[in-house]
């Protein structure tokens, strides 16, 4: 009896020590860094993923979301992910070529997706899976594609015909396809990190830009840009990525639970993205600071014609196969 009690006490003490140990080790922490405001499609979905991941793992995982380039700017965040200083990011698809995967720049081709349905055929099908797989050799695992939306153009003068772009300094993301697109419009592209875009517009370092309404509104760009054109000439979206070593090193059950949380957060993200952009457009209209232009069919045709040569010029950089596969899928 006494021995039994002794053994039981010893086992209890061991179990208690083990759980204290586990507590001392603390939860698994995922640092999720991004560059936009919290109240954007990406910002809100990052928070949704945090909620889901923490709740589904019963607190075993803690997700720390760092918005607004608080930790890192565009390029730095990719390096930080590869070094393991952060575990999760959702950079725009325009920002993957410094990693050596230029195929992602296909998403920047002007007018490549007529609508979201065409886009989803690509991101949710074989092409999307193959693209994410290309990241593996860079020490990165791709988990999902997230939406933002179609881009508008802004400046301090109306942008409707091609001559309006002549010599205009336009901020772009770090994508050679976007660089070519702006040059074909007659503008002078300037690559700046997202965190530098709004200050550069305010200080006149650049004169105009392209982005989605939600990004423009949350960065208050409409307060310094007096004109915008609803051109929908290009798409802005994201790939959610994790450090591969970190991801592969997670206990299998935890990894599966996090993958499930990501799938749910992705459904949520796609549901809110369009609405967030529509609301931002309305908020800009209400602010009354910016004249909003739409293109006539003739102007639209002129823009398309001017940008079309980007395909021929950039195809070999992006990869002929990728561009053609996307075009086939979109036209199907
Ligand atoms: C930009 O740099 O304009 C965008 O990629 C920002 C973002 O993450 O939406």
């Amino acid at each position: 009896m006494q021995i039994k009690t002794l053994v039981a006490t010893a086992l209890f003490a061991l179990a208690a020590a083990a759980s204290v140990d586990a507590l001392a080790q603390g939860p698994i922490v995922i640092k999720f860094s991004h560059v936009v405001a919290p109240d954007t499609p990406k910002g809100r979905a990052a928070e949704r993923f945090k909620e889901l991941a923490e709740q589904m793992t019963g607190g075993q995982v803690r997700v720390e979301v760092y918005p607004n380039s608080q930790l890192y700017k565009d390029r730095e965040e990719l390096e930080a992910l590869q070094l393991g200083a952060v575990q999760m990011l959702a950079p725009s698809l325009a920002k993957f070529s410094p990693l050596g995967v230029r195929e992602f720049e296909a998403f920047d081709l002007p007018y490549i997706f007529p609508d979201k349905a065409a886009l989803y055929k690509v991101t949710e099908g074989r092409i999307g899976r193959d693209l994410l797989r290309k990241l593996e050799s860079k020490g990165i695992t791709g988990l999902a594609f997230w939406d933002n939306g179609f881009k508008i153009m802004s400046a301090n003068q109306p942008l409707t015909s091609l001559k309006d772009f002549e010599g205009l300094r336009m901020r772009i993301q770090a994508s050679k396809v976007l660089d070519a697109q702006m040059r074909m419009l007659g503008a002078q592209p300037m690559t700046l990190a997202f965190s530098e875009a709004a200050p550069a517009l305010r200080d006149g370092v650049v004169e105009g830009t392209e982005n989605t309404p939600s990004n423009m509104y949350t960065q208050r760009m409409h307060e310094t840009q007096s004109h915008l054109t609803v051109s929908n000439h290009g798409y802005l979206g994201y790939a959610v990525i994790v450090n591969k070593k970190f991801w592969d090193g997670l206990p299998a059950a935890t990894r599966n639970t996090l993958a499930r949380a990501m799938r749910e957060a992705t459904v949520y993200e796609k549901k809110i993205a369009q609405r967030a952009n529509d609301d931002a457009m309305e908020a800009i209209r209400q602010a009354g600071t910016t004249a909003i232009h739409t293109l006539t069919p003739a102007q639209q045709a002129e823009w398309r014609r001017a940008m079309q040569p980007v395909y021929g010029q950039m195809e070999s950089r992006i990869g002929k196969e990728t561009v053609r596969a996307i075009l086939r899928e979109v036209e199907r």
Side-chain angles (χ1 to χ4, degrees):
M1 186 69 184
Q2 244 182 356
I3 288 183
K4 255 191 183 168
T5 315
L6 264 179
V7 170
T9 312
L11 282 176
F12 180 77
L14 268 176
S19 64
V20 166
D21 225 38
L23 273 180
Q25 275 177 16
I28 297 166
V29 175
I30 297 179
K31 289 191 174 154
F32 188 158
S33 171
H34 69 81
V35 300
V36 293
D39 191 17
T40 52
K42 175 162 66 178
R44 284 165 62 189
E47 286 299 333
R48 183 82 187 124
F49 171 71
K50 169 187 168 66
E51 270 169 36
L52 289 164
E54 291 180 352
Q55 178 220 318
M56 285 178 176
T57 62
Q60 216 182 58
V61 170
R62 192 173 78 222
V63 181
E64 295 173 359
V65 181
Y66 298 94
N68 270 328
S69 310
Q70 229 172 69
L71 288 186
Y72 301 106
K73 295 199 269 189
D74 292 333
R75 185 143 187 176
E76 301 161 1
E77 71 173 11
L78 281 165
E79 286 162 9
L81 184 85
Q82 286 185 299
L83 292 170
V86 293
Q87 288 69 39
M88 192 173 280
L89 308 173
S92 93
L93 302 166
K95 295 174 184 168
F96 280 79
S97 72
L99 285 175
V101 275
R102 295 173 172 177
E103 289 88 342
F104 282 78
E105 285 185 357
F107 289 90
D108 298 330
L109 285 166
Y111 299 106
I112 189 153
F113 303 111
D115 50 34
K116 289 272 177 78
L119 164 77
Y120 295 152
K121 280 198 218 164
V122 173
T123 51
E124 290 172 10
R126 188 185 51 78
I127 302 173
R129 278 194 300 280
D130 287 352
L131 283 173
L132 294 182
R133 214 170 299 124
K134 284 188 193 297
L135 299 170
E136 297 277 322
S137 64
K138 313 292 171 191
I140 291 172
T141 300
L143 296 181
F145 287 99
W146 281 2
D147 264 353
N148 192 321
F150 293 98
K151 291 179 285 188
I152 57 182
M153 289 274 193
S154 74
N156 284 321
Q157 63 188 56
L159 296 174
T160 49
S161 80
L162 286 187
K163 62 177 175 11
D164 300 330
F165 285 93
E166 202 49 55
L168 214 58
R169 290 189 306 277
M170 299 290 279
R171 181 266 166 177
I172 54 162
Q173 305 176 79
S175 153
K176 287 284 181 278
V177 171
L178 297 179
D179 185 282
Q181 169 206 275
M182 286 299 183
R183 286 182 198 281
M184 277 166 191
L185 288 170
Q188 218 182 301
M190 278 183 73
T191 300
L192 290 174
F194 186 61
S195 58
E196 293 159 359
L201 285 169
R202 190 191 53 226
D203 300 343
V205 175
V206 286
E207 297 159 296
T209 193
E210 56 164 22
N211 221 309
T212 57
S214 62
N215 273 349
M216 286 205 182
Y217 182 68
T218 52
Q219 297 299 316
R220 321 300 296 167
M221 290 179 185
H222 62 289
E223 290 173 359
T224 55
Q225 294 275 271
S226 54
H227 292 265
L228 71 79
T229 303
V230 185
S231 47
N232 296 326
H233 61 282
Y235 171 73
L236 174 68
Y238 311 104
V240 187
I241 54 178
V242 276
N243 177 293
K244 179 170 157 50
K245 202 162 153 207
F246 166 79
W247 189 248
D248 292 346
L250 289 171
T254 309
R255 194 170 48 243
N256 289 340
T257 307
L258 289 176
R260 195 151 48 85
M262 182 52 69
R263 280 196 295 277
E264 278 193 35
T266 300
V267 170
Y268 167 83
E269 208 272 346
K270 289 191 170 142
K271 214 153 67 189
I272 63 159
Q274 187 59 47
R275 180 70 192 271
N277 279 306
D278 293 346
D279 288 352
M281 200 61 217
E282 187 48 36
I284 294 174
R285 201 183 303 275
Q286 294 289 328
T289 50
T290 312
I292 298 173
H293 307 275
T294 47
L295 297 175
T296 64
Q299 288 165 337
Q300 234 178 61
E302 193 192 15
W303 284 43
R304 270 180 193 270
R305 249 196 325 274
M307 293 190 226
Q308 185 59 30
V310 176
Y311 283 74
Q313 202 179 84
M314 287 290 129
E315 202 179 50
S316 58
R317 175 186 163 86
I318 300 167
K320 274 195 174 65
E321 270 318 301
T322 304
V323 176
R324 291 186 185 171
I326 292 179
L327 288 176
R328 269 197 307 274
E329 196 63 51
V330 164
E331 282 157 13
R332 218 158 39 96

